[in-house]
Amino acid sequence: METKSSNNKPLISFFIIAFILAWGLISVAIAKNYGWIDLEIPVEPFLIIGSWVPNIAAFLVLAIVLKRNGGITELLKGWLKFKVSAFWYIVTTFPLILAAMSIFIYKLLFGVAPVNDIMYDPVGLIALMIMITITGAMGEELGWRGFALPRLQSRTSALRASILLGLIWVLWHSPLWFAGIGFEEIPFLAYAIIGVSFTVLVTWACNNSRGSLLIASLFHLTLNVSVNIIENKALYILAFLFMALAVIVVLVYGYSKLSKASELPIDKNTYEWTS
């Protein structure tokens, strides 16, 4: 059992491990990009492993800091929570809908559709889908939404927890802008707005789906698809739409729980999602 005061230690440990491991791995790509090292090594394996760091950090905290028998197994079970309302599966498609709306609005304003070339390359699109599924979508959500989110919500409102986690999530990704892998072409402010708004939305989905990490992972997958199918010049429109949707959700469901339920599905003793 964790007390509220002891709840800080595993949470802080999780964030420290997540940042040290991920930034350490991405530093290889950064050093290569700036010519600090002259090694003929591919950076992709470091990026793929780095994308799994949030999950790995959660596993390490559960096993070493909390010493919780079966804790990792319980966390993994979040991926098996598929018996939820069909509405939440529909919700996971919202990023794709917002991307389509962004393309439509941009074309109305500027006369051209800001669609990335990947949309016209079936093989490349399939490869992209596979890559973003096994990296961000699967590699992060056990950590961010399975481990960190319920603990943050045990201390503050769902909205504040989401904004804090969203800002941390954006900061965690920030070294990618120095790695020479294309992120430097993405407007960072637009990315940050999307990241924080998305975090509010995925908290809403988790709080209303009994902490389904399947829903969270699918949501993350469609988020990644949405930002890959439109050109960077249209990302500010996408960011505005994400923010508008997050505001609507907060107004309708309330900032306290982002849910109409009387209690969130979070165990008050372990600060984990309930079964």
Side-chain angles (χ1 to χ4, degrees):
M1 174 177 173
E2 297 175 42
T3 63
K4 276 197 173 182
S5 59
S6 68
N7 186 30
N8 281 333
K9 184 178 178 180
L11 196 55
I12 293 172
S13 298
F14 166 77
F15 288 130
I16 290 174
I17 294 171
F19 273 81
I20 290 176
L21 290 182
W23 284 18
L25 288 164
I26 194 64
S27 67
V28 176
I30 294 173
K32 188 175 180 181
N33 181 45
Y34 284 91
W36 298 337
I37 57 174
D38 186 19
L39 297 176
E40 293 301 321
I41 55 174
V43 299
E44 287 77 12
F46 294 92
L47 298 176
I48 292 172
I49 296 172
S51 71
W52 274 78
V53 161
N55 290 1
I56 295 170
F59 297 158
L60 290 174
V61 172
L62 285 168
I64 299 173
V65 178
L66 291 173
K67 296 181 175 62
R68 182 164 297 155
N69 292 330
I72 295 175
T73 300
E74 288 301 313
L75 187 60
L76 289 167
K77 286 181 180 178
W79 272 337
L80 302 179
K81 290 184 179 181
F82 60 89
K83 293 183 179 179
V84 300
S85 169
F87 174 73
W88 299 108
Y89 285 97
I90 296 172
V91 164
T92 65
T93 68
F94 282 6
L96 301 178
I97 295 172
L98 297 183
M101 291 172 62
S102 299
I103 293 170
F104 177 75
I105 293 171
Y106 192 93
K107 187 174 182 179
L108 279 180
L109 294 174
F110 302 103
V112 293
V115 179
N116 274 328
D117 292 341
I118 191 71
M119 290 296 292
Y120 307 107
D121 178 9
V123 175
L125 186 59
I126 292 173
L128 172 67
M129 290 293 294
I130 293 173
M131 179 58 69
I132 61 180
T133 298
I134 64 176
T135 53
M138 292 187 66
E140 298 183 30
E141 289 306 319
L142 295 180
W144 300 132
R145 253 59 68 167
F147 185 87
L149 179 59
R151 285 172 168 78
L152 285 171
Q153 289 190 102
S154 72
R155 307 195 66 82
T156 187
S157 69
L159 178 59
R160 288 176 182 169
S162 300
I163 292 173
L164 176 59
L165 187 58
L167 291 172
I168 291 172
W169 186 75
V170 171
L171 179 62
W172 182 80
H173 282 86
S174 62
L176 292 171
W177 271 257
F178 305 95
I181 56 175
F183 271 77
E184 63 276 9
E185 299 176 4
I186 299 174
F188 185 78
L189 179 58
Y191 183 92
I193 294 171
I194 291 171
V196 174
S197 300
F198 167 76
T199 305
V200 172
L201 296 173
V202 77
T203 296
W204 167 57
C206 284
N207 287 355
N208 289 278
S209 64
R210 298 182 297 110
S212 172
L213 300 183
L214 174 61
I215 292 297
S217 297
L218 289 173
F219 215 158
H220 197 147
L221 173 62
T222 58
L223 168 71
N224 289 347
V225 172
S226 73
V227 297
N228 275 280
I229 63 177
I230 68 175
E231 294 181 356
N232 292 329
K233 59 188 178 184
L235 282 182
Y236 277 107
I237 296 176
L238 182 62
F240 173 80
L241 294 177
F242 261 103
M243 184 170 60
L245 180 57
V247 169
I248 291 171
V249 165
V250 172
L251 292 176
V252 173
Y253 283 80
Y255 75 91
S256 178
K257 297 190 295 290
L258 294 177
S259 171
K260 295 296 185 181
S262 57
E263 294 287 340
L264 294 181
I266 298 173
D267 189 296
K268 293 182 179 178
N269 294 319
T270 63
Y271 299 105
E272 296 173 350
W273 296 109
T274 57
S275 301

